[in-house]
Amino acid sequence: LGVEIVAPRPGAGKANLPEVDALVAGVERSLSGRGRRPCLAGVRVLVTGGPTPVAIDDVRVLTNRFSGQTAVGIADSFYRAGAEVELILSGTLIDSPNWIQTRRVASYDEYKTECLDSAADVGVFSAAVADYRPKAFIQGKIESGLNELRIELEPTEKVVDLWRKKYSESQLVSFKLEAGLTDQQLLGLARQRLGEHSDAVIANHASGGALYLVDDDGAAPLERDALGAALVDWVVNRR
């Protein structure tokens, strides 16, 4: 009959009204494609976010400061535009909205497996993936109180490259984060990724500041809180 349902919120043995945010997201999704609203109905979108820790021993890991909040915002924007969204999220600091299908991972290895098992029409890889891992995992816990501790590292596989090779017909948006570079230097590195590696690159500085969407048409500056909407528009304009 053309009726769309926003799922109720269970509690106390009853089906309660959804939270306001869930209602708003559901209504926006149902209105996608009407008027000037973008529509990605039926398009499968994979979004990744958060750190991907690598283990040193049974207690300690190497990780980074990124939370995955950017990925949650991107996934929400695609959901509201009607896409079939899957979010792969690591880290423990944040949760994703219950209306977004989310798979949580706890390590680089889990992240790699989940990504390569996730086919999509569009992949947005914003996760802060570990570039290095210890050459040897140490069983148990490294003794405390040592005067010096040396850990030899080796490069990890580039998951985004593996996904690109496996799903070569899909569109891919990657992120390029650098520190201590000028805007022009950052944009130059981002442009090197276009083609075989990425269809578009989000170029940004570790210290904040300017953010750019780089593709074959050039480099467009973005507001950070409008990144999700900009990526939705980018995908809509290329379908």
Side-chain angles (χ1 to χ4, degrees):
L1 298 176
V3 175
E4 297 185 39
I5 305 297
V6 178
R9 174 176 52 88
K14 299 186 297 182
N16 303 284
L17 281 174
E19 297 289 350
V20 172
D21 288 346
L23 278 172
V24 172
V27 170
E28 284 194 43
R29 181 177 177 85
S30 70
L31 292 176
S32 62
R34 302 186 187 186
R36 301 175 65 181
R37 292 178 179 271
C39 182
L40 290 173
V43 177
R44 299 170 301 164
V45 178
L46 170 68
V47 181
T48 76
T52 62
V54 290
I56 299 173
D57 59 17
D58 286 328
V59 176
R60 303 175 178 90
V61 298
L62 291 176
T63 188
N64 56 56
R65 298 187 180 98
F66 299 97
S67 68
Q69 188 66 58
T70 295
V72 172
I74 293 170
D76 192 39
S77 294
F78 276 105
Y79 174 87
R80 292 169 191 250
E84 302 302 321
V85 183
E86 183 174 24
L87 173 63
I88 296 177
L89 185 63
S90 58
T92 59
L93 298 179
I94 62 170
D95 292 319
S96 63
N98 57 17
W99 56 86
I100 296 176
Q101 181 181 342
T102 303
R103 285 190 281 171
R104 301 298 298 244
V105 296
S107 68
Y108 165 85
D109 290 323
E110 288 184 17
Y111 174 79
K112 173 185 170 183
T113 298
E114 293 292 342
C115 284
L116 295 182
D117 286 344
S118 299
D121 302 306
V122 181
V124 181
F125 285 78
S126 69
V129 184
D131 292 316
Y132 299 94
R133 69 188 309 160
K135 267 193 171 182
F137 173 78
I138 298 172
Q139 299 289 341
K141 178 177 178 289
I142 299 173
E143 180 184 353
S144 301
L146 300 175
N147 291 329
E148 184 179 79
L149 175 63
R150 294 178 181 271
I151 300 173
E152 192 172 1
L153 305 178
E154 63 182 3
T156 58
E157 289 185 285
K158 295 293 185 183
V159 176
V160 66
D161 292 345
L162 297 175
W163 193 89
R164 178 70 157 185
K165 183 177 180 180
K166 184 172 182 179
Y167 304 107
S168 58
E169 299 300 315
S170 302
Q171 292 177 309
L172 190 151
V173 179
S174 64
F175 279 59
K176 183 62 176 173
L177 178 101
E178 291 291 344
L181 300 184
T182 66
D183 280 4
Q184 291 307 311
Q185 289 172 325
L186 175 64
L187 292 175
L189 291 176
R191 291 188 184 100
Q192 292 176 17
R193 287 189 167 199
L194 297 177
E196 291 187 6
H197 184 283
S198 303
D199 298 293
V201 180
I202 302 300
N204 62 118
H205 298 279
S207 58
L211 185 76
Y212 297 92
L213 193 159
V214 182
D215 63 9
D216 290 336
D217 295 330
L222 302 174
E223 297 293 332
R224 290 184 179 270
D225 59 0
L227 176 56
L231 287 173
V232 167
D233 288 342
W234 184 86
V235 172
V236 168
N237 290 335
R238 280 156 180 77
R239 299 211 64 79

